[in-house]
Amino acid sequence: MSSSRTAGLTATGTIGAAHQSLRDQVYVELRERIIDGRYPSGHRIVERELADELGVSRIPVREAIQRLETEGFIAAQARKGAFVAPLGPAEAAHFFDIRERLEALAASLAARHADRDGLRTLERLLDRARRVADSSRRTRELGSVHADFHQQIVVMSGNPLLQDLMAPLDGRLRRLFSLTSEPGDGPVMCGEHELLFEAIRSGDAEVAERIARSHVAGTRDTAMQMLAATTAATDEPTDPGPRRRP
């Protein structure tokens, strides 16, 4: 684990003021390595090697692997071990089928229930995305900001069950943004998010739902093309199945 992360570790397994458990820290570290592409699809996760690298016992590593397996980030194979689960066209198609409907619902509910604090947070995220897009920083950071924007809309929906349903999708969304974001995406994404923000702020649930659905459909088209090209280039040993168009 990097020195900046391990510096906060104590004998009780907490990290600074956040009091994050050692188990959770290992989970977050491994999850971030998958999301940002340091561990690409098919990368083998060796429990003993990772534990030695992070300077922890194998127990929190094993627990992190099991948790990430249930969330779809890791796939375990009998007698072969654990590997980073693929994220190709087939997996993306399933993801977008769900995301398009749930995010449209979240936007509609957010327009109905938005309060001043929620709108202020959403606007701050928009401002941050504009700054990142204008500064030509790494696209990975821009993808993270956009994911935060979508997550905030789910929070603003005021529906705890929807938040629970969307929570497991957040990491996959961040991984997808990391894999498919390009330098020129910033202004386009910000423009679409601004339209969505205005619809939510105006309280127009119908327009917010329509914009959210259109936005996700547009990102689906681009992401599917990029993932198909990446899968073909790397000759990933998985069957992507029939490719779908939005």
Side-chain angles (χ1 to χ4, degrees):
M1 193 174 293
S2 65
S3 59
S4 62
R5 290 177 183 261
T6 55
L9 283 174
T10 69
T12 57
T14 61
I15 305 174
H19 300 294
Q20 188 180 38
S21 69
L22 181 60
R23 177 182 59 188
D24 287 343
Q25 186 187 30
V26 172
Y27 159 78
V28 169
E29 176 69 19
L30 182 52
R31 179 175 178 265
E32 288 305 305
R33 291 186 183 192
I34 296 172
I35 287 175
D36 66 22
R38 280 178 287 171
Y39 286 176
S41 298
H43 178 87
R44 188 182 181 194
I45 308 295
V46 181
E47 184 180 298
R48 174 180 48 78
E49 293 178 359
L50 187 57
D52 289 344
E53 178 188 348
L54 300 181
V56 299
S57 73
R58 295 173 64 172
I59 294 176
V61 173
R62 185 179 306 126
E63 291 174 339
I65 291 173
Q66 291 172 346
R67 183 174 173 184
L68 288 166
E69 184 180 2
T70 64
E71 295 179 2
F73 286 96
I74 289 177
Q77 300 179 18
R79 296 184 296 279
K80 291 185 178 181
F83 298 82
V84 175
L87 181 54
E91 294 77 21
H94 297 317
F95 172 77
F96 277 110
D97 284 343
I98 301 300
R99 184 186 166 212
E100 183 175 333
R101 288 157 179 79
L102 292 185
E103 290 214 14
L105 174 60
S108 175
L109 292 174
R112 293 188 178 99
H113 303 298
D115 57 21
R116 184 177 303 175
D117 289 341
L119 288 170
R120 189 177 295 119
T121 298
L122 203 59
E123 189 168 25
R124 281 199 297 265
L125 289 170
L126 263 181
D127 290 340
R128 181 182 164 208
R130 294 189 196 101
R131 290 195 301 271
V132 173
D134 292 343
S135 65
S136 300
R137 296 179 189 175
R138 299 173 67 184
T139 56
R140 188 172 296 160
E141 183 177 356
L142 184 62
S144 177
V145 178
H146 287 318
D148 290 341
F149 179 87
H150 285 280
Q151 185 180 45
Q152 174 62 17
I153 292 176
V154 175
V155 171
M156 292 170 62
S157 72
N159 187 315
L161 180 56
L162 179 60
Q163 294 175 34
D164 288 344
L165 291 172
M166 289 292 288
L169 301 182
D170 178 66
R172 300 190 192 196
L173 177 61
R174 294 175 190 276
R175 186 184 179 196
L176 188 67
F177 274 140
S178 177
L179 290 174
T180 61
S181 293
E182 293 186 314
D185 292 343
V188 175
M189 294 285 283
C190 287
E192 294 180 0
H193 284 176
E194 286 168 1
L195 291 175
L196 183 53
F197 170 74
E198 291 299 334
I200 292 173
R201 181 166 63 177
S202 69
D204 195 328
E206 184 176 344
V207 172
E209 180 176 354
R210 183 169 67 248
I211 292 174
R213 190 181 296 275
S214 175
H215 171 63
V216 174
T219 59
R220 172 182 184 144
D221 190 30
T222 302
M224 294 286 281
Q225 292 179 27
M226 293 186 66
L227 290 172
T230 301
T231 300
T234 57
D235 193 25
E236 193 171 64
T238 58
D239 179 11
R243 293 173 185 165
R244 301 178 52 185
R245 299 186 63 84

